[in-house]
Amino acid sequence: MTAFLTIIIVLFIAIAIWQMVKIFDLAQVGASNSQIADDKDNKLNGYLMIGFLVFIYVITIVSIVKWGDLPLLSNSASEHGPQIDNLMTISLVIIFIVQTITQFLLHYFAFKYKGEKGRKALFYADNNKLEAIWTIIPVITLAGLIIYGLFTWTSIMNVDEDADPLVVELYAQQFNWKARYAGQDNVLGMANVRLIDNDRANILGLDEADPNAQDDVITTELHLPVGKPVLFKMRSQDVLHSAYMPHFRAQMNCVPGMITQFAFTPTITTAEMRQNPDIVDKVKNINDIRTEKSKELVAGGDEALDPYEFDYLLLCNKICGKSHYNMQMKIIVETQEEYDAWIKEQATFKNTITAN
Amino acid sequence: MSAHADTHAHDDHGHHHKETFVTKYIFSMDHKMIAKQYLITGTIMGIIGIVMSLMFRMQIAWPEEPNVLFEALLGKWAPNGVMDADIYLALVTIHGTIMVFFVLTAGLSGTFSNLLIPLQIGARDMASGFLNMVSYWLFFLSSVIMVLSLFVEAGPAAAGWTIYPPLSALPMAQGGSGAGMTLWLVAMAIFIASSLLGSLNYVVTVINLRTKGMSMTRLPLTIWAFFVTAIIGIISFPVLLSAALLLIMDRSFGTSFFLSDIFIQGEVLHYQGGSPVLFEHLFWFLGHPEVYIVLLPALGITSEIISTNSRKPIFGYRAMVVSILAIAFLSTIVWGHHMFVSGMNPFLGSVFTFTTLLIAIPSAVKAFNYITTLWKGNLQMNPAMLFSIGLVSTFITGGLTGIILGDSALDINVHDTYFVVAHFHLVMGISALYGMFAGIYHWYPKMFGRMMNKNLGYIHFWITAICAYGVFFPMHFIGMAGLPRRYYTNSNFPLFDDLANVNVVITVFALIGGAFQLVFLYNFFSSMFFGKKAEQNPWKSNTLEWTTPVEHVHGNWPGEIPHVHRWAYDYSKPGHEADFVPQNVPLMDGEEELQH
Ligand code: HEM
Ligand SMILES: [Cu+2]
Ligand SMILES: [Cu+2]
């Protein structure tokens, strides 16, 4: 209904604009109007430039105040998360400063030097010193950012094999995720899509002959023990997907024909995160929105929405087809004991595969 | 060919030689007419592209709600007016393709390179008028095919404008990957042929046909920008063509360049040994330079317009040329920043972070030089000037967030979110669009011999400027909150429920901004017939195009081609009465040309 109304309004606006423009245009015929800006235009647009500068500042501040409390800038739930968040914050501050200054200069000059008949501009074609300054300042700033960035990147992407990470495969297919745990031996069994045999429940194409595959565990929920490094091996059976785990500041594409990897250490359990005051606020806010919406739905004869409870998520973040927008998996970070109890209850590959 | 065009123009200018309607308006070899053909075709494609974006924006703001507009425009793809998820992706894909290639590559470069290169360097026409005509008609053909692909039974291409395989290679992966994708690839292959012919022509013309005195260091920055853009196009477009051809082979002839180990819809496919990552490399080897193919001409246009309307020389001409060259060079070695999380070796990621952040330096130099050009000027606030200032503003806003996306560590978390959408729309889409508008307002008198209405131009600029920020600024924030792009709806993620109202705000700005483009269209088309007749040099500009008569003549100048005696930026030069000294005016006694 809202949409319908909007369309009607938009159509009306469009027609109104067209008509207004026409009248406006006709009204000018005859006026000795050269269609070249005169002093009056310069003045008006000069003032509007200042107005626009204010608009840019206002939209920046409003955006920061209203939407700047970003989940991606705080409450990261992995060991390397704060590193990224720091770098991001520093970059944002630099951007904010540069943006504020340069937009000021641009719009202020546009206002200050608005044309007047009879005034002559300054003939000023070059100044090597000035240009050297604004080459060197970005060079230094960027050098700092590059160095910081590269250290961060290298430390995130280097997998520390000595830390004895828990090995988990993330398996993508149109349009869902599976996780495969390496089992007791912590070595994933060999697998290839050519071995997939859905009739016998070999859905990920594990090699039945591989001893390492026997104790592998395939699940539809991702459970991770807190504080333990996890090494993800990503695989896709059909098209590109991307395993995006925003709370952990983690992302890697899943590429058919290739195994990609990403490692991180979760630091906050789901239960702890649900107690975090920021998250409590966010959840409450979301639930208020959902309650409002539910009222509308119920009035229209539909079912109300379920209340929202915080969970970590794995989202697909590479266009993969029709249901790309709904390709997700729940991630649960828990204590080692809880994790051990959970994994013990999962059936191993050996036990789920059906006989020929 | 060129010799012919030249002599014939020289000899024939007195008496008219026969031109039929067809050779004058349709199969014209005159660069000025071809420029207009590019502009009109680009404008029509632009309307299609923008209407598409408004449709999918409405879907995002009011997900899965019935909408009469969808029902009317999408037909079977919107049963009961509810947009289908497949067509959502198709709209996004075709919108991106049309805006980047058809509007801002062909529409922008095609129009202004064609119009201005011969006029500003003092040539009778392009080196090859015939190839120029072929180039336009190939572009036209590819536009037609792209539009026709919208009506394919299984749907138009829907794999994103980046058409990554395997999604784009396998018809069973997505409806749009059948005939729709075939047409997309054919259209793009023809488009690339057109673009290469155009670019070769521009390069040859600039090198060979400059008038006497027009040394490279006296070239207006517009020409520098078009020239370098053409070179980047020649280097990078063939790579996209080869990627497209290999993809066609994978699709139709069973090869495995980009495909391996695929199990889909219950069956194993035979492909073995290819890699989608290879496609990504090939695609972005064009795709990144493409951003500058779109942007550099806009920056060139802006340089010219800001200088003319500030009544001041462009500040740091030499630095501007050097930064165009630096940007061009660097743009070919940064493509990997689109692939930080593609699975390529992390060490490569480090290299690309380094090269990418380097490109910020020449960009910063350009921005500061524009600002300094305004300083102590005598700014004539013509609509073209407003759009040029607007371009500098969005170029800065959009460019700055490149520092985040170019940094591999930070890209991990914002890759493929709305943060990226915000970034590239501001720095490339909106900036280049402003450049195009600026060019249209500025050279309209040259193209059509009439003036556009300035007050409508002001309305158009201010509303567009506000809406552009209103649309794309908040997108940074929903991106930083983790919202992925190319999602048909976010309603399956309660996590994002608190972003729904932001999406409504964005869409409302988009609808208003879109509606006000009608002001431009009205102004553009009605001024052709009813606009005030233009004087020869309405903006009091120095470049040679304003020495040609208002009425177009074949061969551009009725008499001799003027000779050039100075650079293009002698505005408000001390010692001269007028505040501009056209390039064809000889130096006065004792006057020195600037050393640049
Ligand atoms: C009315 C103005 C415009 C609006 C409201 C708009 C809106 C959007 C939005 C929201 C998306 C992202 C959709 C998604 O990823 O889910 C998008 C995609 C895109 N737009 Fe625009 N856009 C506009 C103009 C332009 C212009 C001028 C360009 C020129 C460069 C452009 C190029 C693109 C490209 C390349 C994509 C990516 C398509 C893809 O994901 O495959 N857009 N547009
Ligand atoms: Cu997906
Ligand atoms: Cu790029």
Side-chain angles (χ1 to χ4, degrees):
Chain A
M1 206 43 215
T2 352
F4 180 74
L5 278 177
T6 321
I7 303 289
I8 299 287
I9 292 168
V10 167
L11 277 179
F12 272 125
I13 293 175
I15 295 168
I17 292 172
W18 191 273
Q19 289 302 326
M20 260 161 41
V21 161
K22 229 166 130 177
I23 293 165
F24 192 78
D25 194 24
L26 287 176
Q28 297 211 335
V29 175
S32 68
N33 200 328
S34 65
Q35 305 306 339
I36 298 171
D38 53 25
D39 280 6
K40 224 176 79 215
D41 299 317
N42 292 341
K43 199 162 161 193
L44 175 67
N45 284 291
Y47 279 104
L48 285 172
M49 282 287 166
I50 291 296
F52 194 65
L53 178 66
V54 173
F55 170 74
I56 294 180
Y57 286 167
V58 167
I59 195 171
T60 308
I61 291 166
V62 167
S63 297
I64 292 176
V65 170
K66 283 195 74 153
W67 310 311
D69 178 21
L70 300 168
L72 289 201
L73 284 181
S74 54
N75 300 312
S76 65
S78 64
E79 211 168 274
H80 72 269
Q83 269 176 290
I84 290 190
D85 293 355
N86 264 340
L87 181 54
M88 185 80 171
T89 311
I90 292 172
S91 303
L92 283 173
V93 169
I94 292 175
I95 289 173
F96 180 79
I97 294 170
V98 177
Q99 163 83 349
T100 307
I101 295 173
T102 48
Q103 297 288 355
F104 172 79
L105 292 176
L106 177 70
H107 292 91
Y108 178 69
F109 287 173
F111 161 75
K112 175 89 198 283
Y113 301 109
K114 57 192 179 297
E116 279 164 36
K117 231 189 178 73
R119 207 183 66 212
K120 219 167 181 191
L122 176 70
F123 188 77
Y124 186 61
D126 225 337
N127 182 331
N128 289 342
K129 212 152 117 213
L130 269 183
E131 282 169 295
I133 292 176
W134 56 64
T135 311
I136 289 170
I137 292 180
V139 168
I140 295 173
T141 320
L142 288 169
L145 284 176
I146 290 175
I147 292 169
Y148 189 173
L150 290 186
F151 273 112
T152 313
W153 168 250
T154 317
S155 84
I156 293 169
M157 299 308 285
N158 270 354
V159 176
D160 184 3
E161 303 277 356
D162 297 338
D164 185 27
L166 174 71
V167 179
V168 181
E169 176 178 85
L170 288 178
Y171 184 88
Q173 71 194 106
Q174 286 182 328
F175 297 97
N176 61 63
W177 295 97
K178 303 263 176 339
R180 172 158 67 112
Y181 291 81
Q184 288 291 307
D185 55 8
N186 204 26
V187 179
L188 287 167
M190 305 279 246
N192 184 289
V193 294
R194 282 163 218 280
L195 303 174
I196 293 177
D197 189 344
N198 280 336
D199 298 336
R200 301 184 46 233
N202 188 0
I203 49 173
L204 303 196
L206 302 204
D207 181 356
E208 284 173 56
D210 184 353
N212 291 328
Q214 306 308 318
D215 62 349
D216 287 3
V217 170
I218 298 165
T219 65
T220 53
E221 244 180 29
L222 186 58
H223 285 239
L224 302 174
V226 70
K228 186 164 171 64
V230 191
L231 172 58
F232 291 101
K233 300 276 185 184
M234 281 85 170
R235 210 149 62 89
S236 163
Q237 74 171 34
D238 39 38
V239 300
L240 292 176
H241 301 270
S242 188
Y244 181 37
M245 295 171 265
H247 302 101
F248 305 98
R249 314 294 189 256
Q251 172 160 217
M252 184 51 68
N253 286 4
C254 308
V255 185
M258 175 174 161
I259 295 171
T260 55
Q261 63 175 21
F262 196 100
F264 67 78
T265 310
T267 49
I268 302 174
T269 63
T270 302
E272 282 164 356
M273 198 56 134
R274 284 178 181 166
Q275 305 301 316
N276 178 311
D278 287 350
I279 299 295
V280 170
D281 276 354
K282 185 178 163 73
V283 170
K284 179 172 176 312
N285 182 21
I286 289 176
N287 276 326
D288 289 346
I289 294 169
R290 290 174 77 79
T291 321
E292 271 311 300
K293 207 158 151 211
S294 294
K295 276 188 204 143
E296 233 176 84
L297 286 175
V298 172
D302 288 316
E303 269 178 57
L305 299 169
D306 295 330
Y308 168 64
E309 190 174 31
F310 176 83
D311 264 310
Y312 296 122
L313 279 185
L314 167 62
L315 296 79
C316 180
N317 197 20
K318 185 60 76 191
I319 182 172
C320 61
K322 187 173 179 121
S323 297
H324 169 54
Y325 67 94
N326 191 18
M327 181 166 160
Q328 50 176 314
M329 178 161 70
K330 190 151 102 176
I331 305 176
I332 293 156
V333 179
E334 54 203 2
T335 60
Q336 185 72 44
E337 297 78 57
E338 287 165 328
Y339 170 78
D340 290 339
W342 173 79
I343 196 85
K344 233 186 4 242
E345 281 178 15
Q346 310 301 315
T348 57
F349 176 65
K350 192 174 60 195
N351 294 335
T352 48
I353 187 111
T354 51
N356 245 331
Chain B
M1 203 57 220
S2 71
H4 163 77
D6 213 283
T7 47
H8 120 130
H10 262 290
D11 302 337
D12 286 350
H13 57 242
H15 51 96
H16 267 283
H17 64 121
K18 281 213 183 66
E19 268 192 319
T20 60
F21 180 83
V22 172
T23 56
K24 180 146 187 233
Y25 293 105
I26 302 176
F27 293 108
S28 170
M29 293 197 217
D30 186 302
H31 70 103
K32 302 182 289 297
M33 180 55 68
I34 294 177
K36 288 193 249 181
Q37 292 174 327
Y38 267 109
L39 179 57
I40 305 265
T41 316
T43 305
I44 293 168
M45 294 303 274
I47 295 170
I48 299 175
I50 287 184
V51 168
M52 286 179 163
S53 72
L54 299 181
M55 283 201 283
F56 63 71
R57 268 316 314 177
M58 284 193 271
Q59 156 64 22
I60 285 292
W62 303 289
E64 292 155 280
E65 275 193 46
N67 186 319
V68 278
L69 204 63
F70 297 167
E71 206 165 0
L73 290 175
L74 299 176
K76 70 166 177 175
W77 295 107
N80 302 321
V82 179
M83 187 186 287
D84 181 87
D86 272 326
I87 203 70
Y88 176 87
L89 291 179
L91 287 174
V92 172
T93 301
I94 306 291
H95 159 78
T97 310
I98 285 184
M99 294 315 271
V100 171
F101 294 110
F102 291 73
V103 181
L104 295 176
T105 302
L108 176 58
S109 263
T111 304
F112 292 104
S113 296
N114 263 309
L115 178 72
L116 295 177
I117 288 179
L119 286 176
Q120 288 196 336
I121 67 171
R124 299 254 175 228
D125 204 318
M126 282 289 174
S128 167
F130 175 73
L131 284 188
N132 210 17
M133 174 186 84
V134 174
S135 162
Y136 169 73
W137 283 103
L138 286 177
F139 165 57
F140 182 81
L141 178 65
S142 100
S143 306
V144 169
I145 296 176
M146 189 57 82
V147 171
L148 283 182
S149 83
L150 301 175
F151 301 98
V152 163
E153 177 67 31
W161 80 285
T162 49
I163 57 153
Y164 285 175
L167 183 60
S168 60
L170 307 173
M172 53 283 233
Q174 195 184 27
S177 293
M181 183 58 71
T182 304
L183 288 179
W184 192 99
L185 289 165
V186 170
M188 281 312 295
I190 297 173
F191 180 92
I192 293 168
S194 149
S195 162
L196 286 175
L197 288 182
S199 299
L200 284 169
N201 224 339
Y202 306 151
V203 170
V204 173
T205 307
V206 172
I207 292 178
N208 289 323
L209 298 185
R210 281 169 288 134
T211 183
K212 187 148 180 289
M214 181 61 89
S215 59
M216 291 303 271
T217 52
R218 281 181 182 157
L219 280 184
L221 287 171
T222 31
I223 303 300
W224 267 110
F226 299 150
F227 178 62
V228 173
T229 301
I231 294 175
I232 311 178
I234 292 171
I235 293 172
S236 54
F237 263 120
V239 179
L240 180 64
L241 183 60
S242 54
L245 293 179
L246 296 183
L247 184 55
I248 289 174
M249 290 206 238
D250 276 6
R251 286 166 53 82
S252 305
F253 305 109
T255 55
S256 300
F257 291 106
F258 306 129
L259 307 175
S260 189
D261 296 307
I262 290 168
F263 180 93
I264 191 163
Q265 311 244 317
E267 66 174 309
V268 176
L269 306 186
H270 70 274
Y271 302 105
Q272 181 76 60
S275 169
V277 179
L278 172 63
F279 180 88
E280 295 178 40
H281 281 296
L282 294 176
F283 180 88
W284 287 112
F285 189 85
L286 162 90
H288 192 83
E290 172 62 25
V291 176
Y292 292 94
I293 291 175
V294 161
L295 193 60
L296 281 179
L299 292 175
I301 288 171
T302 297
S303 307
E304 178 63 30
I305 292 175
I306 286 195
S307 175
T308 302
N309 286 293
S310 299
R311 315 309 296 157
K312 241 188 116 212
I314 190 80
F315 182 78
Y317 175 88
R318 198 173 356 157
M320 291 300 241
V321 173
V322 171
S323 52
I324 290 176
L325 293 171
I327 288 177
F329 170 70
L330 289 172
S331 79
T332 58
I333 54 167
V334 299
W335 75 89
H337 63 214
H338 299 272
M339 300 170 58
F340 288 136
V341 296
S342 66
M344 79 180 176
N345 188 321
F347 176 71
L348 268 180
S350 306
V351 174
F352 282 117
T353 294
F354 181 71
T355 55
T356 300
L357 295 191
L358 281 187
I359 218 169
I361 296 163
S363 309
V365 169
K366 285 192 92 71
F368 283 121
N369 281 5
Y370 286 132
I371 294 176
T372 314
T373 305
L374 298 183
W375 180 69
K376 297 212 167 172
N378 188 29
L379 312 191
Q380 306 302 311
M381 295 294 199
N382 288 302
M385 179 65 162
L386 298 184
F387 275 103
S388 298
I389 296 174
L391 181 156
V392 179
S393 174
T394 52
F395 180 59
I396 293 172
T397 309
L400 282 171
T401 49
I403 295 174
I404 289 176
L405 291 163
D407 197 327
S408 46
L410 297 179
D411 186 58
I412 293 173
N413 224 38
V414 283
H415 178 82
D416 259 346
T417 64
Y418 269 91
F419 191 83
V420 178
V421 180
H423 159 75
F424 75 72
H425 274 92
L426 283 172
V427 76
M428 156 176 87
I430 297 301
S431 296
L433 201 62
Y434 282 6
M436 190 162 168
F437 282 135
I440 293 173
Y441 282 104
H442 191 76
W443 280 289
Y444 196 87
K446 190 79 266 165
M447 281 191 271
F448 297 101
R450 291 175 184 269
M451 308 292 286
M452 286 177 85
N453 182 309
K454 68 178 171 187
N455 289 323
L456 296 183
Y458 295 145
I459 297 176
H460 176 217
F461 172 73
W462 287 110
I463 305 274
T464 305
I466 288 178
C467 291
Y469 270 95
V471 169
F472 296 113
F473 202 82
M475 274 191 200
H476 293 106
F477 292 84
I478 55 179
M480 282 191 282
L483 190 68
R485 65 193 278 208
R486 295 168 172 172
Y487 269 20
Y488 158 72
T489 161
N490 308 312
S491 50
N492 293 301
F493 291 90
L495 173 68
F496 298 133
D497 273 357
D498 51 350
L499 304 178
N501 57 353
V502 192
N503 271 322
V504 173
V505 171
I506 291 174
T507 300
V508 169
F509 273 114
L511 289 170
I512 298 173
F516 270 85
Q517 300 313 305
L518 289 171
V519 175
F520 168 76
L521 289 178
Y522 174 82
N523 200 354
F524 182 78
F525 286 109
S526 74
S527 299
M528 275 181 208
F529 306 102
F530 310 116
K532 189 179 165 311
K533 284 248 163 51
E535 343 161 15
Q536 190 180 14
N537 188 359
W539 319 117
K540 299 194 172 51
S541 183
N542 286 343
T543 36
L544 290 184
E545 74 271 30
W546 305 106
T547 61
T548 61
V550 176
E551 282 292 326
H552 287 178
V553 295
H554 204 56
N556 294 340
W557 287 268
E560 287 285 308
I561 300 180
H563 292 179
V564 164
H565 301 280
R566 54 180 77 237
W567 73 335
Y569 299 106
D570 274 342
Y571 289 104
S572 305
K573 191 169 186 188
H576 286 269
E577 186 72 24
D579 65 355
F580 69 115
V581 192
Q583 284 192 279
N584 58 335
V585 174
L587 294 180
M588 293 190 303
D589 278 347
E591 183 185 0
E592 275 189 55
E593 199 187 358
L594 271 230
Q595 282 306 309
H596 43 257

